[in-house]
Amino acid sequence: MKNICIYGVGGVGGYFGAKMIQNNSNNQYHISLIARGHHLDKIQKSGLKLIGENETVITHPDMATQSILEIPQPDLILMCVKSYDLAAAVQDVNRVMTDQTVILSLLNGIDIPERIRSYTDKGAVLPACVYVGTHVEEPGVIKQKGGNGRIIFGDDRIKGAKAAVETAAILKELGICYDYLPIPDLEIWTKYLFIAAYGIVTSATRKTLGEVYENNQLKSNVKAIMTEIVKLASKKGVILQEMEIMRSLDKAKSFPFEAKTSFQRDFENPLKKNEKELFVDNLLSISEEFKVNVPMIKQYNLLLQDRER
């Protein structure tokens, strides 16, 4: 596994792409970036700049392009697009995948591997979640505002551990922080608990994380949504302890007062797609499947629908 492709160079893809390129000093790996627009133009001309918490680096990938067909056949693909671009992205990489290709899915969500599998039966798909606070500051520039840059991932749910073990070795060699857990579902749902509940409330109210946390009523609503998510997780065989609700609720304190959720930033831009399907519609679908009442999620779904009109 020598050819690595970062598919999507937004905050997450840009951060891990820059870190991998920076730590690939002996050129053991060929690292390609799939990007588009002005962001791609800037990377091609001046490199990919990462403004980290402790250092700023400018890195130069082996290749940056919009076309998957221009890069060496990838052995490892870090899938870093938003959920609304996932179908097109998987259909694109499927053109160059083999049974040995590994996709490490770094999207938010609780069923991303299953979504990927609906578009390809090739290779291995590793479930994962990631902790890093980053965004595109300007074309060609990624800025980190928090998180330890850690990937938590596990085995392909059908094909087993082989691809995950090989991926762990690559991440270690390239200095990427990671935890390999054969079954990472608990960690994936734990992260989702925070980002979904706060994403829903911040988007519906147009308030920052700090404003929501300091407002007793809105904070109570976030907690109610988290409680409903915990019930849905149990129906999926994932048991979240009650104390995790309080931990996730208070996690907002670790972010800047003015911070906005990723869902919120997209939702507030009428020219962009957003991940309402991932954070709201998916939960409503699970609640219908298992006949679980989720009144707070339904209430906020109506508020979000009003905002979209």
Side-chain angles (χ1 to χ4, degrees), residues 172-184:
K172 183 177 181 180
E173 288 179 351
L174 290 176
I176 303 300
C177 296
Y178 72 90
D179 288 317
Y180 164 50
L181 304 173
I183 303 175

Side-chain angles (χ1 to χ4, degrees), residues 117-180:
R117 278 287 175 225
S118 68
Y119 299 103
T120 184
D121 59 359
K122 299 176 185 175
V125 180
L126 309 184
C129 63
V130 59
Y131 284 94
V132 65
T134 50
H135 66 276
V136 177
E137 181 85 346
E138 59 182 84
V141 179
I142 306 297
K143 186 171 184 179
Q144 181 186 12
K145 296 187 69 175
N148 59 4
R150 180 172 297 275
I151 299 172
I152 302 173
F153 71 100
D155 298 341
D156 183 293
R157 289 170 176 165
I158 300 171
K159 300 184 178 182
K162 181 176 182 292
V165 172
E166 293 173 344
T167 299
I170 292 173
L171 296 180
K172 183 177 181 180
E173 288 179 351
L174 290 176
I176 303 300
C177 296
Y178 72 90
D179 288 317
Y180 164 50

Side-chain angles (χ1 to χ4, degrees), residues 15 38 104 176 182 195 303:
Y15 173 86
H38 296 308
L104 180 60
I176 303 300
I195 59 175
L303 290 174

Side-chain angles (χ1 to χ4, degrees), residues 15-237:
Y15 173 86
F16 287 108
K19 284 292 186 182
M20 285 183 164
I21 297 165
Q22 180 188 15
N23 296 328
N24 189 36
S25 56
N26 60 0
N27 296 316
Q28 182 176 356
Y29 297 95
H30 186 287
I31 301 174
S32 303
L33 307 180
I34 302 296
R36 60 191 177 190
H38 296 308
H39 194 44
L40 173 60
D41 294 339
K42 189 70 174 181
I43 293 170
Q44 290 174 329
K45 292 175 183 177
S46 308
L48 176 62
K49 184 176 183 180
L50 173 61
I51 303 173
E53 293 188 305
N54 301 312
E55 64 175 347
T56 296
V57 297
I58 297 177
T59 62
H60 297 272
D62 294 295
M63 184 176 290
T65 178
Q66 187 170 331
S67 174
I68 192 75
L69 298 178
E70 292 182 359
I71 70 172
Q73 188 172 63
D75 302 306
L76 173 63
I77 300 170
L78 272 64
M79 186 60 71
C80 304
V81 298
K82 291 292 185 74
S83 63
Y84 44 75
D85 289 327
L86 182 61
V90 178
Q91 290 167 349
D92 192 26
V93 301
N94 191 48
R95 298 188 292 166
V96 298
M97 286 182 67
T98 70
D99 285 339
Q100 283 68 52
T101 308
V102 179
I103 294 180
L104 180 60
S105 57
L106 301 186
L107 290 73
N108 289 322
I110 47 180
D111 60 352
I112 300 302
E114 290 77 13
R115 294 179 185 223
I116 293 174
R117 278 287 175 225
S118 68
Y119 299 103
T120 184
D121 59 359
K122 299 176 185 175
V125 180
L126 309 184
C129 63
V130 59
Y131 284 94
V132 65
T134 50
H135 66 276
V136 177
E137 181 85 346
E138 59 182 84
V141 179
I142 306 297
K143 186 171 184 179
Q144 181 186 12
K145 296 187 69 175
N148 59 4
R150 180 172 297 275
I151 299 172
I152 302 173
F153 71 100
D155 298 341
D156 183 293
R157 289 170 176 165
I158 300 171
K159 300 184 178 182
K162 181 176 182 292
V165 172
E166 293 173 344
T167 299
I170 292 173
L171 296 180
K172 183 177 181 180
E173 288 179 351
L174 290 176
I176 303 300
C177 296
Y178 72 90
D179 288 317
Y180 164 50
L181 304 173
I183 303 175
D185 295 32
L186 180 61
E187 286 70 23
I188 290 172
W189 273 90
T190 297
K191 182 187 177 184
Y192 185 83
L193 182 67
F194 170 77
I195 59 175
Y198 271 107
I200 290 169
V201 175
T202 56
S203 299
T205 61
R206 297 181 181 176
K207 294 186 180 296
T208 68
L209 275 171
E211 289 172 331
V212 169
Y213 187 79
E214 291 196 353
N215 182 301
N216 288 336
Q217 183 58 62
L218 294 180
K219 184 178 177 181
S220 175
N221 292 349
V222 171
K223 183 179 179 181
I225 291 174
M226 288 182 175
T227 300
E228 292 173 0
I229 292 174
V230 167
K231 292 179 181 177
L232 297 177
S234 69
K235 297 297 183 180
K236 286 289 190 177

